[in-house]
Amino acid sequence: MYRSMTCRQGLTCHVASFADDAKIMVYDITKSQLYAEISGVTSLTKLADVQFGWIPDEVMVLSDFGYKLQIWSLPSKRAIEVKDPKSITRNFSYRPTTGHMAVLTRPVAHDILIITAPHSHEVLSTSELSTIDAHGIEYSPDGNWIAVFDAASAGSRVVILTGDGHHFKTYAVPPDELSLGVRCIQWSTTGDHLAIGDCGGSVTLLGRNTFTPRLRFFHPALIDVPNGTVWQEELGLSRSRSYTQAKQPATSPSYEAFQATKKRGSGVALMEFNHHCGDLLASTSSDTPSTLWVHSVDSGSGRATTVLIHHSPIKSLLWHPTIEDLLLIQCAIAEPTIYIWRASWIEPKTVSLSSLKAPLGKLKAAWLAGEGDKIRFLLSNTEQSAIGQLTREGEEVPEPFGRMGPEAMFDEGHSFDLSPVRVRADENSDDTPAVGLSTELGQTLDVEDTFHYRQRKHKVNQLQHNSRPVESVMATDSAPIKIVPPPWTCHYEAYVGAFYVSAKSGLSRDLAYHPLEASSARTTEAGVWKGGIVMIQLLRYSSTPVGPYDEMILLPGKFDVPGGHGSHTRITRIYVSQRDTTFNGMDAFTSIYFNSLDSLGRKNWNIPKHIARFKYNGDFSAPPFTVQLFPEDPTVDIPFFTASLKHLAVWTPSFPFSSNVSKWLGISNSFVQPPLPEGDPKEVLCGTDVWYKSTASIYSPKAKLVWLDLKQPGKEAGEDGNNWWPGIKRWHLALWLQNTRMDLGAPEVLEM
């Protein structure tokens, strides 16, 4: 039986993570199959919490007692560990606009804030906070501010920092005002307000930028809202539940009325802004746990518009993601009943999902995407689930599917053996804290004491094939091909070398093209080479729609494009590889993966991708290192390309890089690709018949200059100094792009 479940809806897939104390399993629910399994996560403590990270392929694992926080990357099958995290639920927050992560740690006698880069989680900054014992952290929706609130024992203190972690202001309740400390904080969805719920039961709203109090309201036991409505739950003879309008003043049941319920501290218990507008705030108090208050925060007075009184304490609040005034309320009752309120309805609704059978255990509610005018929600536990639905006017509609148990989630054809990726922690690996960043097995690079990385050795199970292929995979004689159309968003690290070549020097077809394209008439008829800036790019992708891989790209300048389209940059040679081939049992996966990259690059953008074996001497992310490219044939031991990267002899500063700026330097971020010839097998080396123009948007927050050495081993020394490109010196300046994001959309078809 699973102890917890969390869901994440991403841009490319929907995945759900189920966890018990032994393992974590991630399911791709769009394909009804197991996506990844992580076992042996911890051996000393239980799992306290499992969540998805900034991207769906990232899983956050928090152990009990703040023992450690692990960040698992499913594509790379590696875990990053944060040492000494604060032993609280809200000890990290993602910057919504960029994906930077802010983490609260306490390695010594004070709180430390760490900010890491997206995807790679490289430590960008560490700073000591002025808090005594920080209890929560939250980025603002626009990513410009970070709010950290202190423990209640430290008084009502909230520290406001800029988005990159610099102290801006500390809000504290004046000494002449009675305050019992901060219980929780919540940003409005627009970022206009920061709500502070204290342990005395009041909510204070701070204005954006100045962070001074604008509104304050309470949760009194005696309810008197002259311009609002009070609804009270009624229980019928057949235990049917409904709402009736209560006369004012009304009285909220106190905590003492629910002796069987454990009190969750004191003060504000739950607090949620509605989506989009952020003009409604729903909140509850631990002193009156069954009463819900809905306040309007844009009226200037913070008046209560609605109060709902229930027979049982309120367990959770959930605003609808698209309908701004629709609220789902779940109470702590042993019945499958959900309460739904909407401002435009005549009265609130109760919905009972009778298809769920006892024992119910702990039920969890969530909104689902509706069809047409339907409003849908899910109610589930670890054994069963059911879907309820209403019309937008609040009329109940019969359950569309009835009860769904584990046997209904995954059919026989999509059994666990069809998992495209299975990640398992090494059973022989101990669970001791990390001591550094492992770049290669047995080779360690020290990093800051408060943030520890660890690369662990993994076992990857051999893929098992079934007569029923996975939905998005097409069976062929060689290997399945996964279809992922554009647009693509990719994250990577890259080295880009450039030098100028005159058209008078001529272009060697054997150098510029793979033999397939070099021998094709389509290449000959694809326009005259004009020379210009030649670029050699070495890339390591950490995140793409088809997983991580390495890549080498050659852009030998500009070519005339027939049809009066001018001259444009062109990719003439490109190789891809799978960097995790050292893992056990990866041969079958590597074949599938390579073929996917080959066919997708050719089909989507006319990019002539081919397979190569990449061999590194050193760490790609820490020059100096050397990379060699070999043909796909494993019997060939002579590289056809070699490059070395080294730091400059003098220190140079880093700087941000954007393709929007580079075009002013004569380096275009668009390229035009001619039709490609068909190779063997044609399902992989597919041919195309049209011209494509594509544009890539690239941004790196950290770029540096390095040396690129193009000396080729075994080549006779001459005027070019053993250089790969004839007539050009071997040493060239290159740009090292770190934490880079590229957005590559659908290409434009050029009419010839």
Side-chain angles (χ1 to χ4, degrees), residues 18 239 384 631 634 739:
F18 297 78
R239 298 196 63 81
Q384 56 185 326
N739 303 319

Side-chain angles (χ1 to χ4, degrees), residues 443-627:
Q443 184 180 5
T444 301
L445 175 67
D446 292 335
V447 296
E448 299 189 39
D449 292 340
T450 55
F451 201 85
H452 291 247
Y453 291 64
R454 178 175 66 179
Q455 174 182 343
R456 302 175 63 180
K457 187 177 179 181
H458 301 276
K459 294 181 179 180
V460 181
N461 293 344
Q462 182 78 26
L463 285 181
Q464 301 182 20
H465 297 283
N466 190 288
S467 58
R468 290 183 60 187
V470 180
E471 180 181 350
S472 63
V473 177
M474 179 179 66
T476 68
D477 292 337
S478 57
I481 299 176
K482 184 178 179 183
I483 304 301
V484 184
W488 281 25
T489 296
C490 305
H491 299 269
Y492 61 89
E493 186 172 1
Y495 298 87
V496 181
F499 50 88
Y500 179 81
V501 174
S502 171
K504 297 179 180 180
S505 64
L507 180 65
S508 170
R509 293 173 64 86
D510 293 337
L511 179 66
Y513 297 97
H514 183 274
L516 173 63
E517 284 76 32
S519 60
S520 171
R522 292 190 174 188
T523 303
T524 307
E525 301 167 357
V528 178
W529 178 62
K530 306 293 289 183
I533 298 177
V534 177
M535 285 191 290
I536 299 174
Q537 302 182 9
L538 299 168
L539 303 93
R540 169 160 288 180
Y541 291 95
S542 59
S543 172
T544 75
V546 293
Y549 61 94
D550 290 354
E551 189 171 65
M552 178 268 190
I553 303 175
L554 171 63
L555 300 97
K558 292 188 176 183
F559 292 77
D560 279 336
V561 179
H565 294 286
S567 59
H568 293 272
T569 303
R570 181 182 304 176
I571 298 174
T572 61
R573 207 165 188 176
I574 179 170
Y575 294 93
V576 294
S577 181
Q578 220 288 345
R579 67 176 181 179
D580 290 327
T581 53
T582 56
F583 287 92
N584 297 327
M586 285 298 290
D587 292 342
F589 178 71
T590 302
S591 176
I592 296 172
Y593 186 75
F594 279 153
N595 294 341
S596 298
L597 294 176
D598 254 8
S599 59
L600 288 173
R602 301 176 74 89
K603 185 177 182 64
N604 288 341
W605 300 282
N606 280 1
I607 300 176
K609 286 192 175 183
H610 292 274
I611 304 168
R613 293 180 289 123
F614 285 60
K615 181 179 179 181
Y616 293 92
N617 182 12
D619 184 3
F620 187 91
S621 299
F625 73 90
T626 299
V627 57

Side-chain angles (χ1 to χ4, degrees), residues 215-268:
L215 298 172
R216 192 176 187 186
F217 44 85
F218 303 86
H219 300 85
L222 185 64
I223 304 171
D224 187 7
V225 286
N227 298 320
T229 307
V230 179
W231 297 94
Q232 189 164 7
E233 181 187 5
E234 280 195 345
L235 189 62
L237 295 177
S238 59
R239 298 196 63 81
S240 61
R241 298 176 182 270
S242 62
Y243 284 100
T244 183
Q245 189 168 346
K247 295 181 179 180
Q248 300 186 50
T251 303
S252 299
S254 64
Y255 158 71
E256 286 75 13
F258 309 102
Q259 295 296 332
T261 303
K262 183 179 179 181
K263 188 175 181 181
R264 297 184 295 180
S266 60
V268 178

